[in-house]
Every structure is written in C-alpha cells, then in structure tokens.
Amino acid sequence: MKKSSLFFVLLCLFQISKLDFCLAGSVHMVNNNGHERHRFISVTDFGAVCDGKTDDTQAFLKAWEAVCNGFSNKSFLVPLGKTCMLKPLTFAGPCTSSSITFVIRGNIVAPGYTWNVGNFPAWISFDSINGLVVKGGGVKGGGTLDSRGSVWGGSEHAQDKESPTAMHFNNCNGLRMYNLQHLNSPRNHIGLTGSKNISISGLNLTAPGDSPNTDGIDISRCIGVDIRDSVISTGDDCIAINSGSSYINITGLFCGPGHGISVGSLGRNGEFASVEEVRVKNCTLSNTMNGVRIKTYQNGLGYARKISFEDIRMVDSKNPIIIEQNYLNRGKIEEVSFENSNYQNRGGKNRFYKTESGNGRGVKVSDVRYSRIYGSSASDDAVTFNCNADLGCEDIVMDHVDIVSAKAGHAVSASCKNVRGSYFSSPVSCIKKH
C-alpha cells in the first residue's frame, strides 16, 4: 500500500474514533442532565400538568404502573417546581421490583372538595408494596403534601363527622419514609397498618392545634417501627400506638401542640388489644394536652407492657405523665361487642358502666418505666395513674422524674390509684418507695 493511502486510512480511523467519543459523551450528558432519564419515570411524561388545579390522578396511576411493573429499577418522580393535584387514589402492589422509590421533589395537593369517605377512607394509599421508599426533596426543597383539611370542617363538631386519613400504608414491609412535609390533614396525617420493619425520619407534620382527630402518625398491627428526628404539630396525638404493635422506637421527636405521645386507646368495644416493647427517648413535648400517655378502655381485654419513656422534656404540658385504665371517649360509655371478646350473651351488645369496684375486665398495664422526665406542667397534676380496681397497674417505675409547675408559686402533685411499683430520686411521685 502506498504511503499516501496508508496515511489516508489512518486519518479516517482517527476521525471515526473522535466521532464515537463525542457521541458517547453526548449520550452521557443527556443521561445526566436531560431529566435524568436513566433513573426516573416522571409523572409529567404521562401527561400530568401539575399546575395545582388540573386533575393529575390518571397520569400518576399510569406512571406508577410503569414503575411498579417495569423490570428496570427506575424511580417514580414528582418534579421540582411542580404542584400536582390528586383525587383519592391507591398505589397498589405487589411490584416486579424488589424496591420502589417514590420521589416527591415538587408538591402534591388534595382537591378542594370533600368525597365519600366510605369509598375512599384515605386520600393517598399505598398497599402491598415491599421495599417502598417515599422521600421528599431534601436539600433541593419540595416534598410537600397539602391535604386541604379545612374543606372538611374545622369546628368542634367535626370530630363526630367522617373524614379521611391523608396518607395510609398497608402491608408495606420495609417501608422507608423521610424528608417530607405534610400540611392540614382532615384526619390522621399518616396511618401505618399491618407492616414490618418501618423507618421514618425528617418529617414535618402540621395542622391547626384545634383541628380534631388530626393525629400525626397512627400505628396499628405493625412490628418494628423506628421514628426519628421529626416535628409533629397537630390537633391530636402526635403519635398513637394502637393494638397489635410491638418493637416501636421513637427518638428525637418534637411534639406540640397536640395531645402528646399515646399508647392506645386500647380495648375499645371489649376487644382484645396488645402493645409491647415500646421505647420513647430524647423527645420534647411543648404545650401539649398530654405528655406521655397510656389509655385503655375499661371494658377491653389484653395488655400494654414493656414500655419505657426516657429523657423526655416537658414544656407547659397539661398532663405530663398519665395512665388512664378507665378511658372514656369524650365521656361516652362504650358498648361491648361480644363478637370480639371472650364473653357471650346471646349475640347482643351490653353496657358496662364505670364503678369503683371495677367490672372484672380491662387491659392489663405493666412493666412501664419513666426515666429522666423533666420540665414544666401547665396544670397542678404532673402525674396521674388512674388504674382499674380489679387489674391495677403493675411494675410502674419512676426514676429521676422532676417536673415543676409552669405557674409561679404553684406546686405540682401526683395521683395514684391502684398502682404497684417503685420510684427513685423522683421529687414528684405517689408510688411506694423501694
């Protein structure tokens, strides 16, 4: 081959190599800067307008189907700067992928009207999805859900009306949720049921202090829930731990206003209820109706046990420490459904009334420890243990409990009824010292 021809061939090969390198670089840039297509499936790709007014529900469901049933590990995306309006809907599994990530970098709002709660008890539901990750925008902002709870009525009578949970997770094992803001739920902000191994952090849940039933997080029939470093300011319990739940850890929570952190209520309508292995640690409760509370219906069955409250700071909480084993919901006497109890009486319902001697029923409360609880009480009742005459509360330990009155010149007191336990280095206690 002539030298001139060889040079020409080499030159062509060099130019082709340069072209291939440029094309590869171009593809790489598109993948990283062109909407991150290699990682996300965006709701806008399926027709979501996200102007805060247009109904984007169908676009969300189509995007979810693509993510859930796809064979590549792509994430569901609500883009930054977008506000999407959704009617009540359910994201259902199981999914093909072993892990699904739901990224909310923009905002989601509920419709500005009510709906039939019997048909849609929650605004946004996730059902039967293992390995689900729901996360907000983080340092990039966004990640806000506004449930528009005010359209459901905010008066004192609204507590007797049906209203939906804002976001509900059922049978979602391995759920992780973090960096979300959630505003103005009509009822519970987040409901967790029938799930295992849940991790939650960096939440900010907010509703007016006088809004009824607006719990922050409700937990039912869950095993292994870890809640950390979150702020909950609502009109009801910041966190409520209900029957069938165990191994619940709550750490670094700021709660207030609201009704505090509650185990229960348990045993409603004579049902069997159980809660155990609960640890609440390093939390602040400010201007709450209650502080740390255990509440059980006087007609129930079951137990609440192995519960600890440690390193808790109270700021003007009205009832800092309370066990109510004869709980009545807003003064109403609860009916006992014999279908759900060990009692029988020809298939009807019966009423049990609160008496001094008890009625032979109740949810047993035992092995509860209060360690290093300090701060101020807005009422004179810093500690109230109102336990059932028949069952009582057993193994209640108070260790370094030091609560003072928020009112100058006032002293606080403790009230114990049917309680057995001990106290150590606790200026306010009514338990016999051992």
Side-chain angles (χ1 to χ4, degrees), residues 355-368:
T355 64
E356 287 299 319
S357 61
N359 55 44
R361 297 171 62 85
V363 178
K364 186 175 182 179
V365 178
S366 64
D367 195 359
V368 182

Side-chain angles (χ1 to χ4, degrees), residues 236-259:
D236 211 308
D237 295 333
C238 290
I239 297 178
I241 304 166
N242 298 299
S243 181
S245 300
S246 59
Y247 296 94
I248 312 298
N249 291 310
I250 302 167
T251 307
L253 177 74
F254 180 92
C255 167
H259 291 185

Side-chain angles (χ1 to χ4, degrees), residues 51-273:
D51 60 1
K53 300 176 181 179
T54 304
D55 178 14
D56 296 310
T57 306
Q58 292 305 312
F60 269 66
L61 290 174
K62 290 176 182 177
W64 173 256
E65 184 177 359
V67 172
C68 182
N69 296 326
F71 291 94
S72 59
N73 291 324
K74 292 190 176 182
S75 300
F76 186 105
L77 175 66
V78 179
L80 184 67
K82 300 291 186 178
T83 297
C84 309
M85 192 275 281
L86 297 182
K87 294 180 179 179
L89 78 170
T90 298
F91 298 105
C95 294
T96 303
S97 175
S98 60
S99 179
I100 297 289
T101 302
F102 196 103
V103 183
I104 307 174
R105 289 184 176 168
N107 306 304
I108 302 175
V109 297
Y113 53 81
T114 63
W115 60 81
N116 187 330
V117 178
N119 294 334
F120 299 99
W123 171 36
I124 299 175
S125 296
F126 293 86
D127 188 68
S128 301
I129 308 160
N130 291 333
L132 175 65
V133 179
V134 180
K135 64 179 183 177
V139 295
K140 295 184 178 181
T144 298
L145 296 95
D146 187 347
S147 302
R148 292 180 172 172
S150 60
V151 302
W152 294 87
S155 72
E156 60 181 278
H157 302 294
Q159 61 190 349
D160 297 316
K161 297 178 181 178
E162 288 293 326
S163 52
T165 294
M167 180 178 282
H168 184 245
F169 298 86
N170 177 63
N171 190 27
C172 292
N173 297 330
L175 169 67
R176 288 184 292 154
M177 181 167 36
Y178 53 96
N179 294 344
L180 287 176
Q181 298 185 69
H182 201 153
L183 312 175
N184 304 319
S185 176
R187 198 174 178 88
N188 311 336
H189 284 75
I190 295 172
L192 308 172
T193 60
S195 305
K196 298 179 180 179
N197 302 323
I198 296 174
S199 177
I200 295 174
S201 64
L203 299 191
N204 192 328
L205 311 180
T206 306
D210 61 352
S211 55
N213 298 320
T214 53
D215 294 2
I217 302 174
D218 267 22
I219 305 168
S220 298
R221 297 182 289 107
C222 291
I223 301 173
V225 179
D226 188 82
I227 302 172
R228 295 178 176 271
D229 305 325
S230 297
V231 176
I232 303 179
S233 305
T234 66
D236 211 308
D237 295 333
C238 290
I239 297 178
I241 304 166
N242 298 299
S243 181
S245 300
S246 59
Y247 296 94
I248 312 298
N249 291 310
I250 302 167
T251 307
L253 177 74
F254 180 92
C255 167
H259 291 185
I261 299 172
S262 293
V263 174
S265 51
L266 304 176
R268 186 172 186 172
N269 294 331
E271 296 173 356
F272 181 92

Side-chain angles (χ1 to χ4, degrees), residues 14-60:
F14 176 74
Q15 293 296 332
I16 292 171
S17 175
K18 279 181 63 180
L19 176 63
D20 183 62
F21 176 80
C22 292
L23 287 172
S26 176
V27 170
H28 180 74
M29 288 178 64
V30 168
N31 282 344
N32 282 278
N33 298 320
H35 197 49
E36 298 176 293
R37 292 173 189 169
H38 68 298
R39 292 179 54 197
F40 295 107
I41 291 179
S42 173
V43 294
T44 56
D45 294 335
F46 290 83
V49 178
C50 294
D51 60 1
K53 300 176 181 179
T54 304
D55 178 14
D56 296 310
T57 306
Q58 292 305 312
F60 269 66

